[in-house]
Each structure stands twice: as C-alpha cells, then as structure tokens.
Amino acid sequence: MSQLGLGVCLGIVLLIVAVSRYFALMKDVREAAREQALKDEKYRQVLEQAKAVEHEEKVKKAQSGHIPSILSLAKENEIGNLRVALGWYQKAAELGNEIGQNALARLSRQDVDDPHGEAKSRYWECLVKSNNNEPEALFELGRFEIRGYGTAINTTSGVGHLIKAAEMEYVPAQLFLGDWYVVESNPTPSPRRAFFWRLKSAVNNDAMGCIKVAYCFQTGVGATRDRRRAIYWLEKAAELGNLEAQYLAGKMHLNNDQPVTNVTDAAVAYIWFSVAFASGYLDAKKERDTAVQHVGIESILNVQKVAKQIYKYLHNPPVPVHSTMDLLDKMYDRSKYRPTDAELDAALGRINEDIDVDSAVQTNPDPSASRQGNGSQNTAKKDWSGEMIAAESVSSA
C-alpha cells in the first residue's frame, strides 16, 4: 500500500476517534446540564417555598399590626394590584403611620374603580396636614368627617378637629361650629355653644360672625333677647363693610309689621338703607323709600347729610372703630353700648363655664342641679326655634 493510502487511512482513524470523543464529551455536557437543571429546579422550588413561608409570615405579622410588614406588602402590590396595595396602606394609615397616610393621599385618586377615590385622596391630604396642626387642614378634616366625605361619618372626631381649629382663632371653624350646634342634623344641639362660637368669631372682627351674634340677641338663640345688643353687632358688621349688615341694621330700626312711631328709628333706618343702596345693595331702595315717609320734611336734609358722612367713612378705610355708631349716638341721642375687650373676654368665660356646667349636668343628671339651672341658658333652650342656620335672617325687631 502506498504511503498516500496509509496517510488517508490514518486520517480517517483520527477523524473517527475525534468524532467519537466529541460525541462522548457532548453527552457528558448534556448530562451535566440536565443535572444542573434538576438542581436549579429544586433550588427554585425551595426558594419559592421559602418565599411563600416568608410571605405567609409577613401577612400574619401585617394582620397583627406590624407596620414594616404592612408597608412591605403594600409596596409589593402598588404596581400590579392597586386595590390590594390601598387596602394595606389603609391599615397602616389607620394605625397612625404617616407613610401610609401619604400613600393614600397620593394613590386613592388613581383607583379608577372607586367613585370616591378623589374624595379619599383629599381626606387623607387634610389628615396629613392636620398632623402639623395647620388650622385650615383641621377645619377641612372636621367638615369631611362630619359629612362622611372620603371617610366614614365620625361626628365626634369631626367636631373635635373643628374645635381645635376654632381654638386657634380660625374664624371659618368658629362660624361652622356656631351653625353646627343649632342645625337640625346635629343629634346634640346646644344653642349656648352656638352663641359662644359666634361671639368668638365676632370678637375676631368677622362681619358674618357679628351678623349671627345679632341674630342670637334678636331671637334668643343661646342668649337673652336684647335689641340694643343686636343693633350694636349689626352696626359693627356694617362698619366692617358688610352690605347685608347695613341693610339689616336698617331693618332693625324700621319695623314693617307695626306703625313707626319713633322718628329717631326711622331716621337711622333711612340712613342705613341709604348707605346700603349707595354701596350696591339694591334691595335697600324699597326699604329706604318706606323709611323716608316717617322722617319729617324739616329733618330729611340733615338725615341725608349724616348718611353721606357715614358712607364716606365706610368707603375711606381704615374705618375708625365705632365711628359710625358714635356719630349716630351723638346725632340721635341713642343709648350707648360699647363692650370692651375685657368685657367680651369675661362674657366668653362665663358662657364657657355655663357650657361646662351644662355638660356635667347632662353627664350626671341631678334633679336639684336642674332646678337651680342657669337662667339665660334655660331661656335660650326655650326660645330656640330649631330652624336650619341657612334659613336664618335678622328681621325687624
């Protein structure tokens, strides 16, 4: 056999050996890969079992109130299952956790399946802000809780937040409480408390508060009826620039249900109606035209002069305190009533004491205590009309 043939045979043998070794190696590789896959699968199963056990333990801890576990579960579901995430954040928030509260404020409105999502977000936003004792947030939070806006109705908590804001001299909260304590939907009305908060708002120079205090004195809501005091608070509100108060101050002096016999009342009524009409309160024109019939011809020019002077006062702020009242007192020899800050503080203190006594009596009723009672408080309860605050108006006395 030639050398070429021997070479070819040798090459073939070497190729066969190489191919055999390759296939044997590949078999070993496949076997090793199979074994590794089995190991990986077993590891995955063990890992999943461990995760399942860990998740189960986390759920148990979360259900028992463990905040980190609750937040962890909420975060895990935030992207894939928003409703579940909100449920866990709700639990954390109700436990007082601020992270949960902020998450609800941020995410509740994203739940498209919840028609109250926007309301819930606003509620939690207010609650978070109220943690910093922001009076506006406390006020909104209280209203939400009373209305059940974004949360379950909780009148006790709502009133507590409103009182906290009101005690920080936040006037909207004081006005709300003044209305709340005599509104029909309140299960425990208290005219005395209503008067207290209205007087607080009036002392803070709120025109609407002054009008409501005047209403209390006119009708006996939480206070003894007193026409002079009603007029004072209306004229104070009028001095603060409230057009309705200017109109109502005229109504207090001009009683359309009875003949007008007091020329002074007719003159003052004409003045306030004139000021209100000139300031833009159009309904005052008819009342002014009625009042002028009771003002003598010889004095009408002087009355108009006073009206112009008061109008000038009110439209050139700042208006000196009591300046319009002092002018009217001087011109028409009216009985002067000017409560000082100290007197108002003392009155508020006495009312607060009455409220505390009344609360104690309601909590621990005592027949002898009820017989002794506070006179003004009993009168307020007897005189209270029970009407909705929205329907209140100061009519002629």
Side-chain angles (χ1 to χ4, degrees):
M1 183 179 295
S2 65
Q3 289 184 351
L4 179 59
L6 289 172
V8 171
C9 291
L10 182 58
I12 292 172
V13 171
L14 292 173
L15 179 60
I16 292 172
V17 171
V19 171
S20 298
R21 295 188 66 179
Y22 171 77
F23 279 108
L25 180 61
M26 291 303 298
K27 182 180 179 181
D28 292 341
V29 170
R30 285 194 298 271
E31 192 65 30
R34 189 179 300 111
E35 291 178 0
Q36 185 61 45
L38 291 173
K39 290 180 180 179
D40 291 343
E41 177 63 20
K42 289 181 180 180
Y43 178 76
R44 186 186 64 79
Q45 291 177 357
V46 170
L47 188 61
E48 286 184 354
Q49 290 176 356
K51 287 183 177 180
V53 171
E54 181 184 358
H55 181 77
E56 186 176 348
E57 291 177 353
K58 186 186 294 184
V59 170
K60 288 181 180 178
K61 292 172 70 176
Q63 290 173 341
S64 68
H66 187 247
I67 295 294
S69 297
I70 296 173
L71 295 177
S72 177
L73 289 169
K75 195 65 178 178
E76 289 174 8
N77 288 280
E78 191 171 312
I79 296 178
N81 197 333
L82 181 60
R83 182 61 62 87
V84 172
L86 288 172
W88 287 117
Y89 280 131
Q90 178 87 22
K91 187 173 181 64
E94 290 173 351
L95 290 171
N97 180 263
E98 193 166 337
I99 294 176
Q101 294 168 356
N102 276 296
L104 287 174
R106 173 172 53 89
L107 297 173
S108 292
R109 58 172 50 93
Q110 296 180 20
D111 187 358
V112 295
D113 296 324
D114 186 355
H116 305 292
E118 180 65 28
K120 290 178 180 178
S121 280
R122 291 188 61 192
Y123 166 77
W124 287 107
E125 284 171 357
C126 281
L127 190 142
V128 170
K129 291 179 181 178
S130 72
N131 292 335
N132 297 321
N133 287 325
E134 297 181 20
E136 183 178 358
L138 287 165
F139 168 64
E140 291 296 340
L141 182 63
R143 292 203 306 166
F144 289 169
E145 289 175 328
I146 287 176
R147 293 165 50 200
Y149 181 79
T151 185
I153 293 176
N154 190 334
T155 302
T156 302
S157 177
V159 171
H161 286 122
L162 286 164
I163 290 176
K164 190 173 182 179
E167 288 176 343
M168 298 167 71
E169 305 303 335
Y170 189 66
V171 170
Q174 294 172 344
L175 290 173
F176 188 97
L177 287 169
D179 290 352
W180 166 251
Y181 280 116
V182 286
V183 77
E184 285 183 347
S185 58
N186 186 347
T188 56
S190 173
R192 197 63 169 157
R193 283 184 170 87
F195 177 70
F196 173 82
W197 288 114
R198 289 174 173 182
L199 185 57
K200 287 277 284 185
S201 66
V203 169
N204 283 326
N205 290 320
D206 181 79
M208 184 53 65
C210 293
I211 292 174
K212 289 180 179 290
V213 168
Y215 174 85
C216 289
F217 278 122
Q218 185 209 359
T219 60
V221 175
T224 303
R225 288 175 176 163
D226 189 316
R227 182 174 182 269
R228 186 176 61 151
R229 283 172 169 77
I231 290 174
Y232 167 79
W233 287 106
L234 279 177
E235 291 185 343
K236 182 174 177 63
E239 240 180 38
L240 291 170
N242 187 283
L243 303 190
E244 183 183 11
Q246 295 166 8
Y247 171 77
L248 294 174
K251 293 281 284 183
M252 283 293 293
H253 288 87
L254 185 67
N255 191 337
N256 291 332
D257 297 327
Q258 300 176 7
V260 177
T261 57
N262 189 322
V263 177
T264 294
D265 279 341
V268 175
Y270 177 87
I271 289 168
W272 281 120
F273 287 139
S274 296
V275 171
F277 178 65
S279 299
Y281 200 91
L282 302 183
D283 290 345
K285 183 178 186 300
K286 180 180 178 181
E287 303 290 351
R288 184 196 64 181
D289 294 343
T290 300
V292 76
Q293 300 173 24
H294 306 285
V295 178
I297 296 176
E298 66 281 357
S299 60
I300 187 62
L301 292 178
N302 187 55
V303 172
Q304 290 175 339
K305 181 180 178 181
V306 175
K308 290 178 181 179
Q309 190 170 351
I310 290 179
Y311 178 85
K312 184 178 180 180
Y313 277 162
L314 298 180
H315 288 266
N316 289 277
V319 181
V321 178
H322 299 149
S323 58
T324 61
M325 293 181 243
D326 289 340
L327 176 60
L328 291 172
D329 290 346
K330 179 180 179 181
M331 294 298 300
Y332 300 103
D333 194 26
R334 300 194 309 176
S335 175
K336 186 175 181 179
Y337 168 69
R338 300 287 186 276
T340 64
D341 291 343
E343 290 171 341
L344 291 172
D345 288 341
L348 287 167
R350 288 193 299 271
I351 297 169
N352 210 14
E353 289 175 2
D354 291 345
I355 292 171
D356 290 340
V357 170
D358 187 51
S359 298
V361 171
Q362 291 176 3
T363 304
N364 301 295
D366 181 349
S368 62
S370 62
R371 282 195 300 271
Q372 295 171 0
N374 178 283
S376 62
Q377 191 172 359
N378 293 336
T379 301
K381 290 181 178 178
K382 180 180 67 177
D383 291 339
W384 178 47
S385 65
E387 295 178 348
M388 294 288 285
I389 291 302
E392 288 183 6
S393 63
V394 182
S395 60
S396 53

